[in-house]
Amino acid sequence: MNGSTRWPQAPQLISRRSLCTPRPVRVIPPLRRRLAARLAVSAVAAPQEHDRSVEKHSAGSLGTSGSSHGLRGKPRAKLPAPLASEDEDAPEGAFLSTSDDAAGEPLDRDHFKEGSRRHFRTVFDHDRWAAHRSTRRYVRHALGMFKSRMVRGLAAPLLYICGLSIVICAGHQAAEAGLLPAAAFEWTGSEPFALTSFALSLLLVFRTNASYSRWLDARKNWGAVVNRSRDLVRQGVTYIPRGDRALLDLLARWTVAFSRSLMAHLRSDVDAEAELRRVLRPAEAESALAAEHRPAYCLQVLSEIIKEAQQGAEQAQQAQQPLPNAAAVAAGPPGAGGLSLPASGPRMGSGAACRMDENLSILEDMVGGCERILRTPIPLSYTRHTSRFMIIYLSLLPFALFDSCRWATVPITCLISFLLLGIEEIGVAIEEPFSILPLEALCDAIERNVWELHRMHVAGADGAAGSGARRAHLSAGGVVQAARLGED
């Protein structure tokens, strides 16, 4: 009975509370600026949604949008993944960008350091190794310390530590003379440094070891690129018929183009257009430059070359059309440098094609390994905490040294700072290895080796000067045929 008298009153209770009525939410100015910054970033992915959101939120009331959640109901993760800031210390609304923008500040960039990285791209030969092992390296390196690019790169923190040491030493002298209260300089113990020095050592060791591991992985990846490029062309000139000269030329060109496109893919200071136009025909270069991921496109063209070498070009010849695949597209249309590849001699077997395709798979793995190193740094917390640890440690070091070293504290502190900061600087410098590895020299080596294989094993005999006389060089097939015929 009681329930029958209460049921009709339920709608009245709900209507009096007005639960469904939207409530305007007052947005304070700082919060509004943060929201505008996030909306500006989201406009990169959805411009139309951005325009509607700015118009909606600029009125100062989020309740009119019909959402009962208000500001707390808006999803926080509005930033697109590539633009989201990875720095936990960045201010609210900041994002990774390289240009001045209303929603974020440009990333810091040391132009001297970035410009000097090209000097690290050294290729050693026998003479350089001899100089590297020389005992005179100690004198040479000590005398060249003030010309070192590392010293110039660390000039700002070293000047800070030096100036702070001078101020602390002067403060101690003033306190001893009674000009300043002595209580401000009473702490002179070295126990905190003894307790924390091992932790700093562990951080530096981890930093340099992790960075060197990344550098070594990058060099191994490029070593595999060099080896597999040679092996791919070696297999091609062996298994593809020599009469199929156009296909062999195409294989050599695109193998060289792959290494050049990968170098441009990993560096920001390489002109991809100039590199590809130098090694490819005009129509081929245009097709490669139109691709978003150029190394992958080069690998696809090489796959089509292997496929054509295995299957033959009889159908394309009968139709008098270029090959209907990526290789023909890269070669261009007929009359504009396009290739109609003739079929000549026995075609390449499936076993040889599989082995060549395995090389392409390894090259693709190397591309992915290089991209992993480039896109993923050492966890940023290690870098930030090591930098903070170093600055705090070195800033307090003069307090512990003054009683025993007096004014010699200044040069000693500067020297210790240079040594410790230099170790950390080495780790940061080699963390991104592609801008300091000699990739140009590696690409040049690939190009020389590829065309040497093409010339010696495809074009047949080649002359070379030696001991004042002209000597004939047999191709690899010629050497085997000569041995079978019993010729010297």
Side-chain angles (χ1 to χ4, degrees), residues 267-305:
R267 279 190 185 169
S268 61
D269 59 346
V270 175
D271 188 355
E273 182 176 0
E275 293 289 339
L276 292 177
R277 290 190 183 279
R278 191 177 65 83
V279 299
L280 297 175
R281 293 180 178 178
E284 296 173 349
E286 290 293 338
S287 62
L289 292 171
E292 182 178 356
H293 197 290
R294 292 167 187 139
Y297 182 82
C298 293
L299 291 177
Q300 181 61 33
V301 173
L302 291 171
S303 297
E304 294 290 346
I305 293 172

Side-chain angles (χ1 to χ4, degrees), residues 168-384:
I168 293 174
C169 291
H172 271 283
Q173 291 280 45
E176 291 176 357
L179 300 178
L180 291 176
F185 300 91
E186 285 182 353
W187 177 72
T188 57
S190 60
E191 289 79 6
F193 297 93
L195 294 174
T196 57
S197 58
F198 79 95
L200 180 60
S201 301
L202 289 177
L203 279 176
L204 291 176
V205 168
F206 171 82
R207 191 71 174 80
T208 52
N209 285 349
S211 298
Y212 176 74
S213 178
R214 292 166 58 86
W215 181 90
L216 186 61
D217 287 344
R219 183 59 184 89
K220 287 181 178 179
N221 288 347
W222 268 91
V225 170
V226 174
N227 295 337
R228 295 300 172 175
S229 298
R230 294 168 179 163
D231 197 42
L232 179 67
V233 176
R234 176 191 63 80
Q235 293 171 334
V237 299
T238 302
Y239 297 127
I240 298 175
R242 293 188 181 182
D244 219 342
R245 181 63 178 271
L247 197 62
L248 292 170
D249 292 347
L250 199 64
L251 175 66
R253 286 200 304 273
W254 281 94
T255 302
V256 174
F258 167 75
S259 62
R260 299 284 177 180
S261 64
L262 180 58
M263 176 179 64
H265 186 65
L266 298 174
R267 279 190 185 169
S268 61
D269 59 346
V270 175
D271 188 355
E273 182 176 0
E275 293 289 339
L276 292 177
R277 290 190 183 279
R278 191 177 65 83
V279 299
L280 297 175
R281 293 180 178 178
E284 296 173 349
E286 290 293 338
S287 62
L289 292 171
E292 182 178 356
H293 197 290
R294 292 167 187 139
Y297 182 82
C298 293
L299 291 177
Q300 181 61 33
V301 173
L302 291 171
S303 297
E304 294 290 346
I305 293 172
I306 296 173
K307 176 183 176 182
E308 176 58 30
Q310 182 185 6
Q311 295 181 353
E314 289 82 2
Q315 296 180 357
Q317 245 186 346
Q318 292 175 2
Q320 295 182 355
Q321 295 177 355
L323 295 179
N325 50 39
V329 173
L339 298 177
S340 181
L341 305 179
S344 175
R347 311 310 298 173
M348 183 172 60
S350 59
C354 288
R355 285 189 290 272
M356 293 181 69
D357 193 71
E358 287 177 1
N359 279 328
L360 296 184
S361 298
I362 294 175
L363 289 176
E364 191 166 8
D365 290 340
M366 297 303 103
V367 174
C370 291
E371 289 177 338
R372 171 182 58 82
I373 296 173
L374 180 65
R375 303 300 181 189
T376 308
I378 295 174
L380 301 179
S381 298
Y382 285 103
T383 303
R384 290 193 296 266

Side-chain angles (χ1 to χ4, degrees), residues 8-259:
Q9 298 176 1
Q12 298 176 2
L13 293 175
I14 296 175
S15 61
R16 285 198 300 267
R17 292 187 179 183
S18 302
L19 293 178
C20 297
T21 304
R23 299 179 181 181
V25 180
R26 180 174 177 269
V27 182
I28 59 176
L31 195 56
R32 187 183 301 173
R33 286 196 297 268
R34 295 178 184 177
L35 183 60
R38 289 183 178 274
L39 291 174
V41 177
S42 65
V44 177
Q48 295 180 355
E49 183 181 358
H50 161 67
D51 295 335
R52 292 195 302 267
S53 300
V54 171
E55 182 179 357
K56 176 178 62 177
H57 290 285
S58 61
S61 176
L62 297 177
T64 58
S65 62
S67 173
S68 60
H69 298 287
L71 186 61
R72 296 182 181 272
K74 299 297 291 180
R76 182 180 179 87
K78 277 289 187 180
L79 295 176
L83 296 178
S85 175
E86 299 179 7
D87 192 348
E88 63 192 22
D89 298 327
E92 188 76 18
F95 61 93
L96 297 181
S97 174
T98 55
S99 60
D100 292 323
D101 198 291
E105 298 179 357
L107 294 178
D108 188 19
R109 187 182 184 91
D110 193 325
H111 296 284
F112 171 76
K113 284 186 178 180
E114 297 303 316
S116 64
R117 291 180 69 83
R118 65 179 183 273
H119 298 288
F120 291 93
R121 305 168 188 173
T122 306
V123 179
F124 265 48
D125 53 15
H126 298 292
D127 294 333
R128 281 186 174 272
W129 278 116
H132 183 70
R133 292 187 294 263
S134 174
T135 308
R136 290 191 294 272
R137 67 182 183 274
Y138 299 107
V139 178
R140 184 173 67 249
H141 295 164
L143 294 178
M145 183 173 62
F146 296 102
K147 299 179 182 178
S148 171
R149 298 181 187 90
M150 182 177 295
V151 175
R152 294 184 59 184
L154 294 173
L158 289 178
L159 288 176
Y160 160 75
I161 296 297
C162 181
L164 183 62
S165 301
I166 294 174
V167 171
I168 293 174
C169 291
H172 271 283
Q173 291 280 45
E176 291 176 357
L179 300 178
L180 291 176
F185 300 91
E186 285 182 353
W187 177 72
T188 57
S190 60
E191 289 79 6
F193 297 93
L195 294 174
T196 57
S197 58
F198 79 95
L200 180 60
S201 301
L202 289 177
L203 279 176
L204 291 176
V205 168
F206 171 82
R207 191 71 174 80
T208 52
N209 285 349
S211 298
Y212 176 74
S213 178
R214 292 166 58 86
W215 181 90
L216 186 61
D217 287 344
R219 183 59 184 89
K220 287 181 178 179
N221 288 347
W222 268 91
V225 170
V226 174
N227 295 337
R228 295 300 172 175
S229 298
R230 294 168 179 163
D231 197 42
L232 179 67
V233 176
R234 176 191 63 80
Q235 293 171 334
V237 299
T238 302
Y239 297 127
I240 298 175
R242 293 188 181 182
D244 219 342
R245 181 63 178 271
L247 197 62
L248 292 170
D249 292 347
L250 199 64
L251 175 66
R253 286 200 304 273
W254 281 94
T255 302
V256 174
F258 167 75
S259 62

